Amino acid sequence: MISGYEVSKGIGIGVAVIVPAGEYSGQNEADNAFSSFVSRISPGAVIVAESFTPVMAASLRDKNVAAIVCETGGMTSHSALVAKSFGIPAVYGAIGATHIIKDGDTVIVDGLHGNVYERPDTSLIEEFSSRRKGFIKDRADLERYRGMKTVLADGSGAEVLCNVSDIIGVMSAIENGAEGIGLLRTENLFTGNKTAPTEEEQTRSYMRVARAMDGHGVVIRTLDIGGDKMLPFMKSEQETNPFLGFRAIRYSLANRDFFIPQLRAILKASAAGNVSIMIPMVTCIEEIRNVKALIHEVKSDLRDEGAEFNDDIRIGAMIETPAAAVISDLLAEECDFFSIGTNDLVQYTMCADRSNSKLTYLQAVTHPSVLRLIARTIENANAAGIPVSICGEAASEPFMIPVLAGFGCRRFSVDPLSVPEVRRTLSTWTTEKAKALADEILKIPSDGEIKEYLRKNIH
Ligand code: PEP
Ligand code: MG
């Protein structure tokens, strides 16, 4: 057995296909070559690789892959999130997998516990086949939550929104009964292309999403590039610390030839639905002010051109850096809403690269520092009367949902497949019980003890 980390729930049993080491590991031409490698794979394969880029993971959509095993990559690395959004069971951090497992081996991937079983005997296959049936049955039981409204056990209302990257994700959000799109990651539009999409292409994409959501909220995040998401046409030098580097809003504000067409496209799409703009990786108030000034200019140009747009479009900030969380009271005065990105908030608070599987023990949303920052941000947003949602992976963790609700959050933005389960979890907690849990959690001094407390008190 090889131990790793569960990054995408489910159990997969299939025949191993080893991705040749180094060949597809990172650059965009290599990603394209991987796509052609994938097209030759038979359905039911378990893909075993040393590393996976988000584009590599994206090429596995609809390929009937049984599971993914990856030696590297953290629990919230972007390629792991892509696998999760496709519902492909995945275990990352399975060190040695590409050597221990041989091409053609039968493999069991337990994406519920983070274990991989190479060359299992018949009884183990039977055991996991039956566990897989149980998992599939539970998914079927969850179906009824798709069409329901989100309410806590005391009848107070909440919302389950979705994180999506494209129109297929939007359709899945609708099918799963999401109450809106809480995070449209726009990077997908840019990755895989040799050139940046034009303003018209972007406008069409955003309008399609806005129309499909038919009046429900659509939060479009401006380009969040850098870190583990690079673009073939990005004008940037190699950086020593890419996650701490020239990325997201820093990149956009300095590259207006990118940013202005995106802002124009989002504004134009706001004529077709309930669209908001969200700024990623904010660390200071000037970034918000600069974006607002730019939006003001863009609006004035659009007005001159006679283009339609929503003049009252809401502008929000991702709270995903400790700096932003600490000044969330000040940012609340400049923003119409917040969305807490716990994936990056954990990475930046714990100083632990989210894509590094050796640091998974530090990827702890339950660390007291992270919990305090989240609680503080929600409190500041509520005090200022602006909406706040959670759009990091913590929003779909059954043990974190009551804690976040207890901090006062009522909007959870998750991958489409998690909508019914999040709704079911919320339906079992009253406001009072969740608050009592959250108050207790804030008194506990360590991540380990908090996890233990949650394990004992959440069933
Ligand atoms: C986050 O950081 O929590 C988030 C939702 O954004 P992303 O995962 O795209 O960085
Ligand atoms: Mg982020």
Side-chain angles (χ1 to χ4, degrees):
M1 185 189 86
I2 311 163
S3 292
Y5 305 100
E6 64 279 15
V7 298
S8 176
K9 285 183 191 168
I11 293 170
I13 305 173
V15 175
V17 173
I18 312 288
V19 177
E23 238 169 89
Y24 307 111
S25 60
Q27 297 316 309
N28 286 281
E29 301 83 61
D31 286 334
N32 292 339
F34 183 72
S35 182
S36 103
F37 172 80
V38 166
S39 65
R40 299 191 296 275
I41 292 173
S42 312
V46 171
I47 312 288
V48 184
E50 204 176 82
S51 68
F52 253 89
T53 63
V55 177
M56 283 166 83
S59 58
L60 296 179
R61 169 146 54 196
D62 296 333
K63 294 292 184 303
N64 283 323
V65 167
I68 298 172
V69 177
C70 182
E71 293 204 24
T72 54
M75 293 178 95
T76 60
S77 60
H78 282 99
S79 82
L81 301 190
V82 174
K84 187 174 174 186
S85 74
F86 297 163
I88 305 174
V91 170
Y92 277 37
I95 297 165
T98 55
H99 297 287
I100 299 165
I101 301 169
K102 307 288 172 216
D103 249 324
D105 277 354
T106 297
V107 181
I108 297 172
V109 180
D110 178 359
L112 300 173
H113 300 96
N115 296 323
V116 179
Y117 301 85
E118 70 282 5
R119 301 177 285 281
D121 59 20
T122 326
S123 69
L124 200 62
I125 294 178
E126 275 168 16
E127 182 190 326
F128 274 92
S129 300
S130 134
R131 283 200 208 175
R132 186 172 55 181
K133 277 192 197 130
F135 177 77
I136 293 168
K137 187 177 170 305
D138 184 53
R139 298 280 111 175
D141 289 344
L142 284 170
E143 294 280 302
R144 63 200 169 92
Y145 287 90
R146 285 184 179 191
M148 288 184 183
K149 275 199 161 8
T150 310
V151 278
L152 271 66
D154 54 18
S156 59
E159 281 179 28
V160 187
L161 313 169
C162 277
N163 300 342
V164 298
S165 305
D166 54 24
I167 194 72
I168 301 176
V170 174
M171 292 307 151
S172 177
I174 294 169
E175 254 169 57
N176 284 287
E179 282 140 323
I181 301 297
L183 166 62
L184 174 64
R185 291 183 167 103
T186 56
E187 297 77 60
N188 235 28
L189 264 184
F190 292 77
T191 47
N193 291 11
K194 289 222 159 44
T195 54
T198 62
E199 179 184 323
E200 289 66 35
E201 283 168 323
Q202 292 189 64
T203 307
R204 268 199 300 279
S205 297
Y206 305 150
M207 279 214 168
R208 212 170 151 204
V209 176
R211 290 204 179 104
M213 289 312 293
D214 197 20
H216 291 282
V218 174
V219 177
I220 303 182
R221 180 175 73 185
T222 63
L223 193 65
D224 184 28
I225 209 66
D228 61 351
K229 295 177 290 189
M230 299 305 286
L231 294 175
F233 44 88
M234 232 174 112
K235 291 178 267 169
S236 79
E237 286 143 30
Q238 281 286 331
E239 294 178 293
T240 319
N241 294 302
F243 275 110
L244 299 182
F246 188 49
R247 51 167 308 217
I249 192 56
R250 305 167 181 188
Y251 186 85
S252 293
L253 281 170
N255 285 280
R256 302 206 169 180
D257 48 338
F258 254 133
F259 200 31
I260 289 181
Q262 180 164 46
L263 292 175
R264 285 174 60 90
I266 299 175
L267 275 160
K268 285 183 183 172
S270 72
N274 182 2
V275 168
S276 314
I277 302 179
M278 183 155 75
I279 313 303
M281 216 197 160
V282 170
T283 49
C284 43
I285 246 163
E286 288 85 347
E287 285 162 342
I288 296 291
R289 289 187 184 146
N290 290 342
V291 172
K292 280 164 74 174
L294 210 53
I295 291 175
H296 187 73
E297 279 173 35
V298 168
K299 278 183 179 175
S300 146
D301 290 346
L302 290 175
R303 222 173 273 120
D304 292 348
E305 294 163 28
E308 279 183 40
F309 61 91
N310 173 12
D311 203 16
D312 297 322
I313 192 164
R314 288 177 300 274
I315 302 164
M318 295 250 341
I319 305 295
E320 53 183 349
T321 65
V326 170
I327 60 162
S328 50
D329 54 334
L330 306 174
L331 283 170
E333 288 174 23
E334 296 281 343
C335 295
D336 298 316
F337 64 94
F338 285 160
S339 191
I340 305 177
T342 52
N343 306 337
D344 277 319
L345 187 59
V346 170
Q347 156 167 272
Y348 293 125
T349 306
M350 302 300 291
C351 303
D353 178 349
R354 65 195 264 191
S355 56
N356 188 334
S357 57
K358 293 193 189 85
L359 304 178
T360 303
Y361 77 103
L362 292 171
Q363 296 296 331
V365 72
T366 36
H367 190 279
S369 60
V370 180
L371 291 173
R372 286 179 190 197
L373 291 175
I374 297 173
R376 178 188 186 121
T377 303
I378 296 172
E379 198 181 313
N380 285 332
N382 288 341
I386 61 167
V388 54
S389 63
I390 311 278
C391 63
E393 290 311 290
S396 59
E397 292 292 350
F399 68 90
M400 275 303 290
I401 292 167
V403 177
L404 299 170
F407 289 160
C409 179
R410 289 291 175 275
R411 290 177 181 210
F412 297 77
S413 194
V414 302
D415 68 283
L417 299 178
S418 297
V419 170
E421 193 179 7
V422 174
R423 196 167 278 152
R424 176 172 72 182
T425 305
L426 283 166
S427 74
T428 63
W429 289 84
T430 61
T431 304
E432 201 185 340
K433 210 172 105 197
K435 178 150 187 350
L437 175 78
D439 287 347
E440 275 314 303
I441 289 301
L442 286 177
K443 291 182 204 150
I444 304 177
S446 78
D447 167 42
E449 290 161 286
I450 291 173
K451 283 206 178 82
E452 188 55 29
Y453 185 90
L454 291 173
R455 234 189 320 270
K456 283 197 182 132
N457 290 281
I458 297 186
H459 308 288

